[in-house]
Amino acid sequence: MLTVSNLQAEAEGKQILKGVDLQVKAGEIVAVMGPNGSGKSTLAYVLAGHPQYQVKKGKIKLDGKEMGGLSADKRARVGLFLALQYPVAVAGVGLNNFLRLAYQDIKREKMMPFEFREKLMAAAKLLKLPKSFLDRAVNEGFSGGEKKKTEILQMMILKPKIAILDEIDSGLDIDALKIVAQAINQARKENPKLGIILITHYQRILNYVEPDRVVVMKQGKVVKTGGRQLVKELERFGYEKI
């Protein structure tokens, strides 16, 4: 579904990605791991079309279609979703209205406000977010855990083809981690063709969301690929021996 070939990218004149090859099939979870500064988050931003990053070489294809010339909003419309590592606040914009307008823009279909709210409340209930939460401004005054839950709420509502989850587990306590993992698994159950790139430093979320493959990045490249056992090797030996 998603194919990344020899992807090389830079920001502010500094090369960060140095030839990344990656494939994510429909319904597949690929965990991307690696030490700080290995290029994991840069990969997420480049895939999503962040204008700060310049692709110097390589291709990004979704269902065989080249994404390189598309802006971030157009990539979202064709099925790419990015859950941010550091979600930003949007003052004065209610979460309910924000997601309804995003849904209508991406899906190109209208939905009555009351009908959409019912849909939103069902997803919020799974994430243990109260109804009153939906009328608050996006991420304004939210805790770190609430921000991460809001990112997953967006994914559940927008139903992308490929979801890139950039360190969705960072800053979560064990209870919040389990709730977020449960919501990810439920999203997969509702949409078996959903492909997920799960970027993380640690094993703990992978105890609840089981990856099909594990990819290790170092210094802007994929240096090793393996199965679930690779996670245990990383926990035992660290990244230095990879």
Side-chain angles (χ1 to χ4, degrees):
M1 182 181 282
L2 178 71
T3 304
V4 180
S5 305
N6 191 30
L7 185 61
Q8 300 179 35
E10 64 179 36
E12 299 178 349
K14 180 181 178 181
Q15 186 174 8
I16 303 172
L17 300 183
K18 301 174 182 178
V20 174
D21 294 302
L22 182 68
Q23 187 177 67
V24 183
K25 299 176 183 176
E28 187 177 38
I29 292 183
V30 177
V32 177
M33 305 183 73
N36 288 327
S38 59
K40 303 185 303 299
S41 290
T42 296
L43 174 63
Y45 288 130
V46 170
L47 292 178
H50 196 303
Q52 178 182 337
Y53 298 90
Q54 295 81 47
V55 174
K56 305 310 261 182
K57 196 173 182 180
K59 294 184 180 298
I60 303 168
K61 292 185 178 181
L62 180 61
D63 292 341
K65 297 178 181 178
E66 174 63 49
M67 297 288 105
L70 299 183
S71 58
D73 59 315
K74 291 179 180 177
R75 295 188 195 199
R77 291 190 189 105
V78 297
L80 280 175
F81 171 83
L82 171 62
L84 297 171
Q85 181 179 355
Y86 303 109
V88 297
V90 185
V93 180
L95 180 59
N96 179 85
N97 289 332
F98 170 77
L99 283 178
R100 183 169 62 87
L101 293 173
Y103 178 88
Q104 290 180 166
D105 183 67
I106 289 174
K107 298 300 183 182
R108 297 303 199 195
E109 61 181 67
K110 295 286 185 180
M111 184 176 287
M112 296 297 290
F114 73 89
E115 183 182 359
F116 181 80
R117 190 171 180 85
E118 287 182 1
K119 182 184 183 76
L120 190 57
M121 285 193 299
K125 184 178 180 181
L126 182 64
L127 287 160
K128 300 189 184 306
L129 293 171
K131 294 179 183 178
S132 59
F133 195 86
L134 305 179
D135 296 314
R136 294 171 61 183
V138 179
N139 291 326
E140 192 169 42
F142 290 12
S143 68
E146 288 170 338
K147 289 179 179 180
K148 295 302 179 77
K149 287 182 180 180
T150 301
E151 294 294 289
I152 297 300
L153 180 66
Q154 293 179 47
M155 180 191 77
M156 295 179 73
I157 293 299
L158 299 177
K159 296 187 182 302
K161 292 180 179 179
I162 294 287
I164 307 158
L165 309 182
D166 186 14
E167 296 195 32
I168 198 68
D169 54 338
S170 65
L172 297 182
D173 60 36
I174 188 62
D175 292 328
L177 177 68
K178 289 180 178 179
I179 291 169
V180 164
Q182 180 185 3
I184 293 171
N185 289 328
Q186 180 63 30
R188 291 188 73 207
K189 185 176 180 181
E190 293 177 1
N191 180 14
K193 292 186 177 181
L194 172 64
I196 295 177
I197 298 175
L198 182 55
I199 297 172
T200 183
H201 282 296
Y202 308 108
Q203 177 183 350
R204 62 180 196 153
I205 193 171
L206 303 179
N207 291 330
Y208 305 103
V209 180
E210 187 170 346
D212 296 288
R213 282 186 294 118
V214 178
V215 169
V216 180
M217 288 186 66
K218 287 183 74 174
Q219 298 179 353
K221 290 185 176 183
V222 173
V223 295
K224 191 165 186 176
T225 300
R228 186 74 176 77
Q229 183 62 32
L230 181 53
V231 179
K232 296 180 180 179
E233 291 180 24
L234 292 171
E235 286 290 318
R236 184 177 178 185
F237 300 111
Y239 292 110
E240 288 187 7
K241 293 187 178 181
I242 298 296

